[in-house]
Amino acid sequence: MSFLSKKYSSMEAYTPGEQPRDKKYIKLNTNESPYPASPKALEAINANEVKDLRLYPDPTCSELRESIAKRYGVEKENVFVSNGSDDILNFFFLGFCDEEKTAVFPDITYGFYPVYCNLYGVKYREIPLRDDFSVGVEDYLDVKANVVIANPNAPTGKTISLDDIKRILESNRDYACLIDEAYVDFGTESATKLVGEYDNLLVVSTFSKSRSLAGGRLGFAIASREIIEGLEKIKYSTNPYSINRLTLLAGKAAIEDEEYFEECRQKIIETREYTTRELEKRGFKVIPSKANFVFAKLDSIDGGSLYLKLKEKGILVRHFKKERIKDYLRITIGKREEMEKLIETIDILAQEPMLLGEETI
Ligand SMILES: *Cc1c(COP(=O)(O)O)cnc(C)c1O
């Protein structure tokens, strides 16, 4: 007997990266920040604020939106905040797409997009990435559909330029174009500066990666007033108090702490370059990444086996079973020591006969 309604019974849910509790791993599998939240966020959450959890939070999230607006040089009316950027993606597919307003996105990208489409019965088309895993901008011109592109893309770490985004926006004026900037702070120009020019642009971002608040669940969107009002409408029709009081405070403190943000961001970029070099020295093919992860493969072993070998040694990375990328691993950039340990472990595995192919025997 299934109590779930019939229309959802065959639906496939999104599978988040594992969060195992069985032992302590070096966790390089869900693109969290290895650095703690801003010390200012810690200060903002004190005993009195915990006591005030008896009260509902501000549904308009006014102060937080004010701070985000200031940081990005837009008006508060151009900012929407929600319970993680997944929540905003959810609202987008629910409220902005349907059978007629279909969606297009790359075949290799954030795995949640097709899940939302299936949940809401939104028709979608997956556009194959080019052979080098880049997004071919020509494929998105005049598509007569809402466009969703992660920039940098996940799990490849590859980017498209603002000029390319402009071309897509211009050729699809009557459709919304969502740019998912979860990883933008690790080395790409943000499309938020185009929001004033294009009312069909929706930039979605998160505090989960570059601002070390994945557990706080906080995402934001920057877009034209029209699009923001649309998102508000959906939010007020589902869960107006979707961001809790403590997260509102932590988020505001984090977005105002530019210095700490910059320090963490730089360290991750440096460590990413170190990791790329060391993996390449060991024969890995590493896709040049502008995110807080690298996407890499070794010809002599399939991705699934290497993932398991690393897991046995206490290092968790992410492996995807999709045909085109099944030989790759997505490795989150952790602290320098963690990445040194990863490299050391790869060297140990390479000494085990037959493990990483002939060149190691
Ligand atoms: C991590 C990630 C998200 C989700 O972020 P949350 O704010 O934690 O919900 C959205 N899009 C992409 C591409 C991501 O990698």
Side-chain angles (χ1 to χ4, degrees):
M1 177 69 209
S2 168
F3 293 99
L4 187 64
S5 81
K6 214 160 62 190
K7 65 178 173 178
Y8 298 129
S9 57
S10 65
M11 185 181 68
E12 267 206 57
Y14 176 72
T15 316
E18 24 176 2
Q19 308 286 355
R21 306 271 178 245
D22 60 329
K23 66 174 181 183
K24 214 163 161 43
Y25 288 95
I26 293 185
K27 216 176 153 298
L28 308 177
N29 70 327
T30 46
N31 297 343
E32 289 138 324
S33 173
Y35 301 110
S38 156
K40 302 237 162 76
L42 287 178
E43 276 168 37
I45 295 170
N46 53 43
N48 279 332
E49 298 299 342
V50 175
K51 285 183 192 158
D52 277 350
L53 284 178
R54 72 190 177 83
L55 300 167
Y56 280 111
D58 168 19
T60 69
C61 307
S62 181
E63 289 183 34
L64 172 63
R65 282 169 56 222
E66 193 87 61
S67 297
I68 294 172
K70 207 165 148 201
R71 166 67 171 67
Y72 287 92
V74 295
E75 301 296 318
K76 194 167 101 181
E77 289 69 27
N78 299 113
V79 179
F80 176 77
V81 289
S82 204
N83 189 279
S85 59
D86 285 340
D87 210 28
I88 304 175
L89 297 172
N90 180 25
F91 289 174
F92 178 75
F93 287 102
L94 168 63
F96 292 70
C97 305
D98 56 28
E99 284 215 352
E100 280 150 36
K101 281 226 162 169
T102 60
V104 297
F105 39 81
D107 63 337
I108 308 293
T109 188
Y110 188 37
F112 225 137
Y113 306 150
V115 174
Y116 289 125
C117 288
N118 292 330
L119 175 64
Y120 297 123
V122 170
K123 282 200 197 129
Y124 65 97
R125 182 160 66 91
E126 293 178 305
I127 300 179
L129 291 181
R130 300 274 157 92
D131 288 342
D132 67 351
F133 285 155
S134 60
V135 169
V137 61
E138 284 77 18
D139 303 341
Y140 295 83
L141 302 182
D142 205 17
V143 285
K144 300 194 169 47
N146 290 334
V147 175
V148 180
I149 293 177
N151 189 39
N153 196 13
T156 62
K158 293 194 84 151
T159 63
I160 58 170
S161 68
L162 285 197
D163 280 341
D164 284 348
I165 293 174
K166 276 189 182 183
R167 288 175 68 195
I168 295 169
L169 287 162
E170 260 158 37
S171 76
N172 295 290
R173 275 283 185 185
D174 296 335
Y175 295 88
C177 174
L178 186 156
I179 304 293
D180 184 342
E181 294 195 344
Y183 303 106
V184 78
D185 295 326
F186 303 106
T188 326
E189 216 177 343
S190 170
T192 48
K193 53 179 70 105
L194 302 178
V195 160
E197 240 175 296
Y198 296 97
D199 62 359
N200 56 333
L201 170 62
L202 167 57
V203 181
V204 175
S205 206
T206 177
F207 282 69
S208 294
K209 279 90 189 210
S210 58
R211 296 192 187 268
S212 304
L213 283 176
R217 309 307 301 127
L218 185 57
F220 62 101
I222 297 184
S224 61
R225 285 173 187 231
E226 222 175 319
I227 288 184
I228 297 298
E229 279 166 19
L231 290 169
E232 293 283 354
K233 194 171 209 173
I234 306 287
K235 165 175 155 167
Y236 279 91
S237 307
T238 49
N239 182 6
Y241 300 116
S242 61
I243 308 179
N244 74 74
R245 297 181 70 93
L246 300 182
T247 293
L248 284 176
L249 293 166
K252 181 169 163 12
I255 199 91
E256 289 171 359
D257 195 351
E258 195 64 30
E259 197 181 326
Y260 182 76
F261 162 77
E262 195 53 38
E263 189 189 314
C264 295
R265 188 174 90 84
Q266 287 303 341
K267 278 196 280 195
I268 289 167
I269 292 172
E270 267 170 47
T271 310
R272 176 184 72 209
E273 299 312 305
Y274 159 80
T275 307
T276 303
R277 278 195 310 273
E278 294 302 317
L279 288 174
E280 281 175 345
K281 274 188 216 162
R282 286 155 181 84
F284 278 81
K285 175 173 191 268
V286 186
I287 314 256
S289 169
K290 293 286 181 197
N292 68 339
F293 56 79
V294 291
F295 203 46
K297 74 165 181 165
L298 204 52
D299 282 336
S300 50
I301 185 168
D302 69 280
S305 309
L306 185 54
Y307 155 83
L308 282 176
K309 302 261 170 233
L310 288 169
K311 188 170 177 183
E312 270 168 31
K313 302 255 183 227
I315 298 181
L316 265 191
V317 298
R318 189 89 189 257
H319 174 248
F320 300 92
K321 294 201 169 73
K322 215 169 184 171
E323 187 57 30
R324 250 186 114 176
I325 52 172
K326 68 179 181 359
D327 288 335
Y328 285 81
L329 293 180
R330 192 195 67 190
I331 306 169
T332 302
I333 302 303
K335 288 184 183 161
R336 170 81 180 217
E337 310 87 88
E338 293 175 312
M339 304 323 277
E340 284 170 358
K341 184 79 190 167
L342 167 77
I343 298 297
E344 227 173 81
T345 306
I346 288 170
D347 286 341
I348 292 168
L349 289 176
Q351 279 159 17
E352 293 177 14
M354 307 297 289
L355 205 65
L356 300 185
E358 302 96 50
E359 72 261 29
T360 62
I361 300 176

